[in-house]
Amino acid sequence: MEMFLKLDFWFTVFRCATPVLFATMAAMIADRSGILNLGMEGAMAIASLSGVLASGFSGNLLVGGFVGLFCGTLFTMILAYFIMNMKANQVIAGIAMNLAASGGSIFALYSITGDKNTSNSIQSKAFPSVEIPVLKDIPVLGDILSGHNVLTYLAFILAIVLFIVLKKTKFGFKVRAVGESPEAAESVGIKVHRVRYQTMFLSGLLASFGGIYMSMGYINRWTAGMIAGRGYIALATNAMAAGNSLLGMFASLLYGFGSSIAIYLQNMNMDPYMVTMIPYLAIIVFYVLFSLYYRHKNKQHESL
Amino acid sequence: MKKLLNKVVSVALAGAMVLSMTACGSSASTAETAPAESAAAGTEAAAETTAATGDPLKITLCVGRTNDMSFQQSAYEGVMKVQELYPDQVEVNVVEMTDDTTKWEAAFYDAADAGADIIMGTGFQNLDNFTNIPQEYPDTKFILFDQGLDFEANELPNVMGVLFDSNQSGFLAGAVAAYYTQNENAANPDKTLGFVGAMEIVTITDFLVGYAEGARYVDPDMQIKTAYVGDFVDTAKAKDQSKAQIADGADIIFQVAGGAGTGVIEAASEVDGVMAIGVDADQYETMEDPALKEAVITSSLKRLDNAIVKIIGDYLADPASVGFGSNVTYGMEDDAVGIVFNDKLTESIGEENVANVQAILEKIKSGEITVDKASELTSDEINAIVAGE
Amino acid sequence: MGKEILRVENLTKIYPGGTVANYKINFSADEGEIHALVGENGAGKSTLMKMLFGIEEVTDGKIFLRGEEIHFANSTDAIAHGIGMVQQHMMLVPSLTVAENLVLGIEHTTGLFVDKKQNVKDTEEISEKYNLKVDADKLVRDISIGMKQKLEILKTMYRGAKIIILDEPTAVLAPQETEELFEQLLNLKKDGYTILFISHKLNEVKYLCDRLTVLKDGKSIGTYNVSDVTVEEISNLMVGRDITLSYDKDETEIGDKILTVDHLNFVDKFGTKKLDDLSFSLRSGEVLGIAGIEGNGQKEAMEILTGNMKCDSGSIQFKGKDLTKLTIGKIRDTGIAHVPEDRNLDGSAPQMSVRDNISAASLKKFTNKFKLLDQKKIDEYCEESVEKFKVKTSGLNSMIKSLSGGNVQKAIVAREFTQDADVIVLNQPTRGVDVGAMEFIHKKILEMRSQKKSMVMVSADLAELQALSDRIIVFYKGKVVGVIDDVKQTTDKELGLYMLGLKQDSKEKLMEA
């Protein structure tokens, strides 16, 4: 239990949660418009690699960030094209694209640097960590909440923005209408295809932020396979959040919390295989609890 | 109709060709360059040999690539050294098979068909190749590095598995760590050391057992934090685990985690006074990022080059002295394992301690110190050693 | 009546496959008119409406709006020209509120955000203005079907529609709701709106509409003043012969209880109690009609009765067995046949042939001594069934989905009526089929009744229930709330009171059911 008293433990929660939160939001916005985007893992891999390469060769952080976002988003738009124009099965297309991304990214790294595992030969840039004025001076809270990577703050801000966008803006209404009842949306002149391309664009952009965070924030280089399922776990956190990005924030923090527990428990010589399950188990348990809660709520609702 | 069919077939063929070319583009190019390189090292020599003593010993090394900065490269350097040492007696051939392991089987068959006397390969990925192919070529010798073979279940008199005493290099790493953590350069005076492995498997815990014993040889009060990433790729997780160990007082961490290990070095580089110990290759040299480079205090090494020189030397002297038909372990006494001694190490722990480490090395060589092997211990026994019980 | 607002001339629609859906259709509608479009299923009503609403492209012919020729690229175009359509399948977003649905796509905004207050205000205003009452703040998934329909009508008007197309709006409503809807439509007419009213129900057309245009086989037969024609004449024009939906029933003995449904309970996956201690029984030789607004448990009761769903508690006694414990196959073996509610989803395998669909339930009868299927016997049986049940098909090998709705339904009825079952469960036996097929199926049902079969029939068509049933029970919220023994004497109004839960029979009387 003493690990919960460590500030680093709580700091780690946020760091682990960040890429999953980006991916959760990516899954969510596509999901709300009626598309199952499985391509987050691939988009993250592509964005993380291209960001590292571009920042390394240009020597400019922002160029790297921009190229990373561009490539990851482009990847997602190609997936969107397959799903919407070619009528490909969403699951198959998504998984195929992910496999292509994992092989393609290694091939690209090899072609460019002659290295296959890591981008160690490239001097890439990283997004900086920032101290939040005032907050950083508050004891305990300051240590946990201040000093994170810029992209971590961006993720949490975007989660709030996404919540407002979906709930309060015209665009959000369109997305929800298209997702829930495309015929209804069509009948009032909303262009279903266009809205879905827009959400896939945003989905790709968000996933790419997760990708560049992995290689230009979380750590400062690219390693083959480094996304390690974070794009897939987002499908579970999104399911748990049921389309609400504030809950998505909670689900991602839950994953971060589980990961942090897993990391710190190992230091106490717990069995590593058992400990590795913790973050995933946490998501599953909470997903079930949430489902039960929603069911209960519906029942109450009906009895009124 | 027929015309259309022709068209379809030709398009399909063209597609297949393009695909296969992209897939093995690198192998096609290396197939040409690699023999050229090896030839450069030994053309004259080979020509002379054939003239003088008849057939030279034909050695073929098949690796994914020769520049992996790790033990494939070490093997490559080994055969090159052999070619230099015995220009008249051997003819070395190197085949780069690319990282696509599906192409490896064919490469070994090709080498055997080409009439090689000794075929060498590295790594666990070749376990099946070195179990099946040798049975079809009883007159050819096969040597597999860094992976044991099952000689009880298979009739393999012409094969040798070469293992390395990782526990011995781990022991030295542990000694280095113990000297460092009490040193004024270290982040804190705690006697806490870190270890991040890829998975809890014998090839990795072997390092850990040596590491723990080496650390306690220097100071019995050393505490060791261990963590396993769960795979070889999750760099971010490895970094988080290292950060957690650092937060728990570790100021030097030994990483045995493949690609994910870079995360450990990165975590160490971000905190003053924290160092990482690399693995398999000299990671001070392989890291290009100066910040990471400076965080690598030393690296534990598998010297495939030294092992190869020894094996071939022995073989040339007397083929029966080499243990074909069994797994042979090479260790410090053959200089087949070790750690990197460089300025960074001296600067970090001081000349006196470097000398101490070297003394320990000599004691292992001479057999004065024996290090436990993970393969001979149960999980519980390993845990007890790590916990210092 | 005002001046002409809409006119179509020689409007033709030929689908890419060559199917002629509409051929040289002519009709016109005036301002402030309720104009009915009647015709059998497949007569081309929906295609015509879709062309008027811009969903389908016009192959040939012209559409004039206020004397000017127009072309619609899509429905948005049609809306912009003041044409709105309320489709049978509601075009609403369940998790948005009534107000949000009303303004969807053309929301008021303040800066970046949707102006909730203004949208609610607009909704309340337009609701007030046309006396179509809706709750602006409620989520659409929580409102009644009647309110959804009002919302759909408001949606078209909010978007400036002057011409409103209603596609079979009363199909899902209780009689009282229908009455209310008609009142509001007549109000709209007073305000100068033009309404195109598509319906099967000729008495509704007679009551509500000013003029009607009859479609038959994709062509317009003619436009008539409603006051000039009788219901019989209209149906004659539609079908080409006289149709009466009143039948002479044989005098048959109604026997003892043959099947008893006992305290059934069922909660669906959303937690709604669909069956609430449901009990009723079926007597041998009777046709038991089940009335109720859709979603009051009829579907669930029939699915549980035929084994397609499992109940949470309760039992169904039949021939000494508890049907709730048996599988679908076992239930069929004990002598229960089933004409399901949805002929395309559950009733038939659309991709398979007419032969496979008709013979599917009787394959056990057609095996030879090696337990292999005897193709010859199957063909004989299918040919006989097709002939007896007048299934219009180009052959047994045609995919059943290529048949018209009425013929698919006839094929399903043929399959189920030839099972030699003691009890036949009929769930909406004539929904969406044309009058001719309806009459045919009705006659077959009465034929089975003469053969002493017992039947349970769920129907949304009260006229059908009254014409065929010996007894009617009414479902409300998963319970039987009314039992009508004297079917001939009951009225739509009385049934409607039960259906809306406004009237309930005494406990004793319900016990008898």
Side-chain angles (χ1 to χ4, degrees):
Chain A
M1 284 308 111
E2 67 174 316
M3 68 183 172
F4 296 128
L5 298 175
K6 286 190 187 121
L7 300 177
D8 277 301
F9 172 88
W10 296 103
F11 196 85
T12 305
V13 170
F14 285 89
R15 204 172 46 219
C16 291
T18 304
V20 173
L21 177 54
F22 275 123
T24 304
M25 289 190 282
M28 187 175 292
I29 183 124
D31 189 18
R32 287 309 291 262
S33 75
I35 290 195
L36 174 63
N37 180 7
L38 284 186
M40 279 92 64
E41 186 84 5
M44 288 169 85
I46 298 272
S48 55
L49 174 63
S50 44
V52 162
L53 291 178
S55 77
F57 287 120
S58 67
N60 186 314
L61 172 67
L62 292 180
V63 170
F66 177 79
V67 171
L69 295 179
F70 176 81
C71 293
T73 310
L74 182 70
F75 170 86
T76 310
M77 293 307 276
I78 293 171
L79 177 61
Y81 177 78
F82 283 144
I83 291 172
M84 280 185 274
N85 293 52
M86 315 280 275
K87 306 276 172 235
N89 176 299
Q90 308 182 49
V91 174
I92 295 171
I95 290 176
M97 289 288 283
N98 284 343
L99 290 175
S102 92
S105 54
I106 297 172
F107 181 72
L109 180 72
Y110 180 68
S111 311
I112 294 168
T113 68
D115 210 326
K116 289 213 171 170
N117 295 322
T118 64
S119 65
N120 280 339
S121 57
I122 290 173
Q123 296 285 317
S124 59
K125 305 277 175 198
F127 285 90
S129 296
V130 285
E131 296 288 346
I132 307 290
V134 184
L135 184 65
K136 75 174 158 61
D137 299 323
I138 304 172
V140 185
L141 215 56
D143 289 322
I144 296 169
L145 297 179
S146 183
H148 282 284
N149 195 280
V150 181
L151 294 177
T152 300
Y153 295 111
L154 182 69
F156 284 88
I157 292 167
L158 283 181
I160 295 165
V161 170
L162 181 61
F163 180 80
I164 295 169
V165 165
L166 284 174
K167 200 115 190 164
K168 303 265 179 198
T169 69
K170 209 164 161 146
F171 175 68
F173 276 48
K174 278 189 194 173
V175 170
R176 286 157 67 194
V178 164
E180 268 184 64
S181 176
E183 305 90 13
E186 192 106 58
S187 77
V188 295
I190 295 173
K191 297 200 168 52
V192 175
H193 250 60
R194 184 189 292 176
V195 172
R196 286 186 171 162
Y197 266 114
Q198 286 165 344
T199 58
M200 278 301 267
F201 176 83
L202 292 176
S203 178
L205 198 62
L206 286 164
S208 303
F209 266 116
I212 60 173
Y213 173 75
M214 286 301 291
S215 65
M216 302 171 73
Y218 206 140
I219 54 173
N220 185 16
R221 68 209 65 255
W222 190 82
T223 314
M226 71 182 296
I227 307 301
R230 289 176 175 83
Y232 284 116
I233 193 77
L235 297 170
T237 46
N238 174 45
M240 184 177 144
N244 178 332
S245 62
L246 296 184
L247 280 180
M249 201 152 92
F250 172 77
S252 305
L253 282 172
L254 183 71
Y255 169 83
F257 182 68
S259 303
S260 196
I261 287 182
I263 286 162
Y264 276 82
L265 274 187
Q266 281 211 18
N267 274 355
M268 302 160 100
N269 294 328
M270 293 279 285
D271 181 74
Y273 288 101
M274 198 196 78
V275 162
T276 310
M277 296 190 318
I278 291 175
Y280 306 100
L281 213 59
I283 294 289
I284 292 168
V285 167
F286 270 78
Y287 181 39
V288 170
L289 289 177
F290 270 55
S291 299
L292 290 175
Y293 171 71
Y294 289 135
R295 208 178 147 167
H296 174 72
K297 209 168 109 179
N298 274 341
K299 263 191 187 170
Q300 275 188 332
H301 190 76
E302 289 292 334
S303 63
L304 282 175
Chain B
M1 190 63 213
K2 204 174 169 193
K3 223 172 177 180
L4 179 73
L5 190 71
N6 275 338
K7 220 173 192 176
V8 170
V9 169
S10 59
V11 168
L13 280 177
M17 269 170 65
V18 170
L19 271 180
S20 62
M21 277 163 69
T22 31
C24 59
S26 49
S27 83
S29 63
T30 48
E32 283 163 11
T33 55
E37 272 176 49
S38 65
T43 334
E44 303 152 47
E48 271 169 42
T49 332
T50 19
T53 55
D55 287 346
L57 184 67
K58 285 188 184 166
I59 300 172
T60 303
L61 171 70
C62 300
V63 288
R65 39 202 181 95
T66 55
N67 63 342
D68 74 336
M69 301 269 197
S70 185
F71 54 76
Q72 297 191 61
Q73 184 169 351
S74 180
Y76 171 73
E77 284 161 6
V79 291
M80 286 299 124
K81 234 180 260 179
V82 167
Q83 180 77 79
E84 242 168 72
L85 284 170
Y86 312 104
D88 303 337
Q89 290 150 284
V90 301
E91 181 187 324
V92 166
N93 222 325
V94 177
V95 179
E96 275 198 280
M97 304 183 290
T98 78
D99 283 359
D100 180 358
T101 52
T102 58
K103 301 208 162 51
W104 289 16
E105 186 180 9
F108 288 109
Y109 273 114
D110 285 349
D113 288 336
D117 297 307
I118 297 179
I119 296 174
M120 300 181 188
T122 61
F124 65 93
Q125 302 96 327
N126 279 320
L127 181 57
D128 284 343
N129 291 336
F130 277 69
T131 307
N132 302 327
I133 300 171
Q135 304 192 24
E136 297 174 37
Y137 297 90
D139 297 332
T140 309
K141 302 273 190 253
F142 290 82
I143 304 174
L144 179 58
F145 291 93
D146 208 32
Q147 170 64 48
L149 292 138
D150 188 350
F151 290 96
E152 276 167 29
N154 301 290
E155 191 69 25
L156 298 168
N158 54 333
V159 188
M160 175 164 73
V162 175
L163 299 174
F164 295 89
D165 285 325
S166 306
N167 54 341
Q168 294 178 341
S169 56
F171 195 94
L172 294 187
V176 168
Y179 285 124
Y180 178 77
T181 191
Q182 306 181 66
N183 188 298
E184 69 276 9
N185 294 329
N188 61 53
D190 280 8
K191 294 181 178 180
T192 308
L193 314 176
F195 178 90
V196 174
M199 289 192 257
E200 198 178 16
I201 50 176
V202 171
T203 46
I204 285 166
T205 50
D206 212 23
F207 284 100
L208 175 60
V209 169
Y211 185 62
E213 291 184 344
R216 295 224 173 75
Y217 178 82
V218 173
D219 184 337
D221 294 337
M222 287 294 156
Q223 289 299 315
I224 292 144
K225 302 269 174 202
T226 57
Y228 295 94
V229 181
D231 56 45
F232 288 87
V233 294
D234 198 339
T235 320
K237 189 171 173 191
K239 180 173 178 182
D240 273 328
Q241 290 175 321
S242 311
K243 288 208 157 196
Q245 293 186 341
I246 295 166
D248 272 356
D251 42 26
I252 181 160
I253 303 170
F254 186 18
Q255 73 87 0
V256 190
T262 316
V264 178
I265 301 173
E266 193 172 307
S269 75
E270 285 174 9
V271 186
D272 280 345
V274 177
M275 298 297 273
I277 301 174
V279 74
D280 286 348
D282 182 352
Q283 294 196 304
Y284 182 85
E285 296 298 332
T286 58
M287 294 292 142
E288 306 225 351
D289 185 337
L292 294 203
K293 212 185 239 302
E294 294 308 320
V296 180
I297 188 169
T298 181
S299 299
S300 102
L301 297 175
K302 277 176 190 161
R303 299 293 300 266
L304 270 71
D305 52 344
N306 291 344
I308 287 173
V309 169
K310 170 145 179 54
I311 291 166
I312 297 302
D314 290 352
Y315 188 84
L316 288 172
D318 172 15
S321 69
V322 177
F324 281 102
S326 64
N327 289 321
V328 180
T329 305
Y330 287 82
M332 220 156 260
E333 59 278 11
D334 312 301
D335 285 326
V337 298
I339 61 165
V340 174
F341 289 97
N342 58 10
D343 293 346
K344 184 77 208 170
L345 181 63
T346 316
E347 173 195 317
S348 305
I349 61 173
E351 268 173 38
E352 188 190 338
N353 289 333
V354 171
N356 290 340
V357 174
Q358 253 150 357
I360 293 170
L361 190 155
E362 291 306 324
K363 283 182 186 165
I364 297 173
K365 263 189 178 181
S366 68
E368 194 181 328
I369 296 176
T370 53
V371 188
D372 283 320
K373 287 176 190 291
S375 56
E376 291 163 5
L377 299 168
T378 65
S379 241
D380 288 343
E381 286 168 333
I382 293 174
N383 288 342
I385 289 171
V386 173
E389 285 155 7
Chain C
M1 227 176 284
K3 56 179 196 283
E4 181 181 279
I5 183 165
L6 178 79
R7 179 156 50 88
V8 307
E9 276 180 12
N10 293 327
L11 208 58
T12 300
K13 173 73 194 179
I14 302 172
Y15 283 104
T19 314
V20 181
N22 282 169
Y23 186 71
K24 297 201 170 167
I25 292 202
N26 292 293
F27 88 94
S28 67
D30 294 339
E31 233 165 63
E33 177 191 22
I34 303 187
H35 192 109
L37 280 157
V38 297
E40 291 189 278
N41 259 56
K45 291 171 301 190
S46 318
T47 308
L48 176 59
M49 290 304 110
K50 282 177 181 166
M51 283 195 285
L52 288 176
F53 192 54
I55 303 175
E56 292 280 6
E57 224 176 304
V58 176
T59 311
D60 197 22
K62 290 169 180 172
I63 302 172
F64 295 93
L65 194 65
R66 296 188 187 85
E68 267 176 59
E69 193 183 344
I70 44 161
H71 299 280
F72 296 140
N74 51 42
S75 56
T76 321
D77 229 8
I79 293 168
H81 279 90
I83 297 181
M85 181 163 175
V86 177
Q87 308 201 31
Q88 249 178 314
H89 174 66
M90 304 271 177
M91 294 295 176
L92 298 169
V93 183
S95 81
L96 296 183
T97 65
V98 167
E100 286 163 353
N101 265 284
L102 183 85
V103 301
L104 187 63
I106 46 171
E107 298 91 347
H108 289 284
T109 51
T110 50
L112 284 174
F113 302 113
V114 170
D115 187 346
K116 195 175 166 187
K117 264 192 205 149
Q118 187 62 39
N119 292 329
V120 170
K121 206 176 140 210
D122 271 21
T123 309
E124 280 164 355
E125 270 174 20
I126 195 168
S127 164
E128 198 106 323
K129 187 173 166 196
Y130 295 105
N131 197 26
L132 288 161
K133 291 230 163 49
V134 290
D135 295 331
D137 286 322
K138 272 203 172 156
L139 293 180
V140 161
R141 64 162 176 246
D142 296 333
I143 64 175
S144 70
I145 293 188
M147 195 185 283
K148 282 181 190 166
Q149 206 159 44
K150 287 181 213 161
L151 172 59
E152 285 277 37
I153 295 170
L154 286 174
K155 252 172 84 181
T156 66
M157 291 192 293
Y158 187 71
R159 286 167 172 74
K162 281 290 168 190
I163 301 173
I164 302 169
I165 305 169
L166 299 172
D167 191 0
E168 303 212 24
T170 62
V172 288
L173 300 181
Q176 278 77 358
E177 286 178 309
T178 304
E179 227 167 82
E180 197 189 335
L181 173 71
F182 285 178
E183 222 169 274
Q184 287 147 352
L185 292 181
L186 290 169
N187 276 335
L188 291 180
K189 172 184 152 179
K190 249 183 256 160
D191 290 340
Y193 284 91
T194 305
I195 293 163
L196 296 180
F197 186 82
I198 302 172
S199 183
H200 272 120
K201 297 177 184 169
L202 299 184
N203 46 356
E204 289 181 355
V205 170
K206 189 81 181 130
Y207 169 79
L208 182 72
C209 304
D210 302 306
R211 290 193 298 165
L212 63 93
T213 296
V214 180
L215 299 185
K216 184 169 186 293
D217 297 335
K219 294 172 201 143
S220 45
I221 297 286
T223 301
Y224 308 87
N225 283 325
V226 168
S227 50
D228 297 345
V229 284
T230 63
V231 170
E232 287 71 28
E233 281 168 336
I234 300 171
S235 75
N236 199 347
L237 286 165
M238 280 163 57
V239 189
R241 63 193 158 81
D242 285 312
I243 298 257
T244 49
L245 284 184
S246 65
Y247 311 97
D248 292 325
K249 283 199 265 183
D250 286 354
E251 282 299 322
T252 54
E253 282 283 298
I254 307 288
D256 291 336
K257 290 179 180 179
I258 173 170
L259 183 144
T260 317
V261 171
D262 207 13
H263 297 290
L264 278 192
N265 283 292
F266 178 74
V267 177
D268 71 6
K269 64 176 174 187
F270 302 111
T272 313
K273 208 166 176 50
K274 282 294 185 184
L275 296 182
D276 185 5
D277 242 5
L278 176 76
S279 300
F280 66 88
S281 58
L282 176 69
R283 302 195 177 104
S284 85
E286 77 167 344
V287 174
L288 175 67
I290 297 180
I293 296 173
E294 261 195 90
N296 277 284
Q298 307 93 308
K299 181 189 163 78
E300 287 77 10
M302 295 308 110
E303 299 274 285
I304 290 169
L305 176 52
T306 54
N308 289 292
M309 275 185 184
K310 289 285 160 215
C311 59
D312 296 336
S313 68
S315 70
I316 300 171
Q317 297 299 330
F318 177 61
K319 289 187 182 171
K321 287 177 184 152
D322 181 359
L323 296 186
T324 60
K325 302 265 188 304
L326 302 180
T327 61
I328 300 175
K330 286 268 160 53
I331 290 173
R332 278 184 170 274
D333 290 345
T334 52
I336 290 186
H338 180 207
V339 176
E341 181 180 20
D342 188 327
R343 59 175 159 272
N344 298 320
L345 203 67
D346 307 315
S348 68
Q351 301 273 4
M352 293 177 79
S353 67
V354 174
R355 178 194 293 105
D356 292 344
N357 271 290
I358 291 182
S359 62
S362 329
L363 292 177
K364 274 186 199 162
K365 283 191 280 185
F366 302 126
T367 52
N368 60 20
K369 59 186 170 184
F370 302 116
K371 290 281 168 202
L372 297 173
L373 291 176
D374 187 334
Q375 210 58 48
K376 216 169 133 196
K377 275 196 211 158
I378 292 178
D379 284 353
E380 272 168 27
Y381 161 74
C382 290
E383 269 158 24
E384 195 190 321
S385 303
V386 165
E387 200 186 312
K388 259 170 78 182
F389 285 83
K390 300 205 168 118
V391 182
K392 275 186 220 153
T393 168
S394 54
L396 291 179
N397 286 326
S398 319
M399 249 192 248
I400 202 158
K401 73 170 183 187
S402 68
L403 272 52
S404 76
N407 281 305
V408 174
Q409 192 70 12
K410 280 195 267 181
I412 294 167
V413 168
R415 180 180 71 208
E416 299 300 330
F417 281 19
T418 52
Q419 294 299 302
D420 207 21
D422 301 306
V423 172
I424 304 172
V425 177
L426 301 162
N427 199 347
Q428 312 284 7
T430 61
R431 165 177 284 183
V433 309
D434 56 78
V435 190
M438 187 189 281
E439 187 195 22
F440 183 83
I441 292 171
H442 286 171
K443 285 192 172 149
K444 283 287 170 194
I445 292 173
L446 291 176
E447 216 173 88
M448 296 308 279
R449 180 172 170 273
S450 303
Q451 292 172 24
K452 303 256 181 228
K453 304 288 185 197
S454 318
M455 280 169 273
V456 184
M457 178 172 71
V458 174
S459 179
D461 184 345
L462 297 185
E464 175 175 77
L465 285 174
Q466 279 169 279
L468 301 176
S469 309
D470 295 301
R471 209 153 55 98
I472 295 177
I473 56 178
V474 187
F475 276 34
Y476 178 71
K477 291 200 166 170
K479 268 197 266 224
V480 176
V481 292
V483 183
I484 291 132
D485 290 316
D486 194 353
V487 173
K488 289 243 156 60
Q489 296 306 316
T490 188
T491 60
D492 281 6
K493 190 158 184 207
E494 190 190 356
L495 284 172
L497 289 175
Y498 283 119
M499 285 160 73
L500 290 171
L502 300 172
K503 188 175 169 187
Q504 192 160 3
D505 281 339
S506 66
K507 276 214 171 105
E508 292 73 35
K509 199 169 173 203
L510 294 177
M511 288 291 281
E512 278 173 45

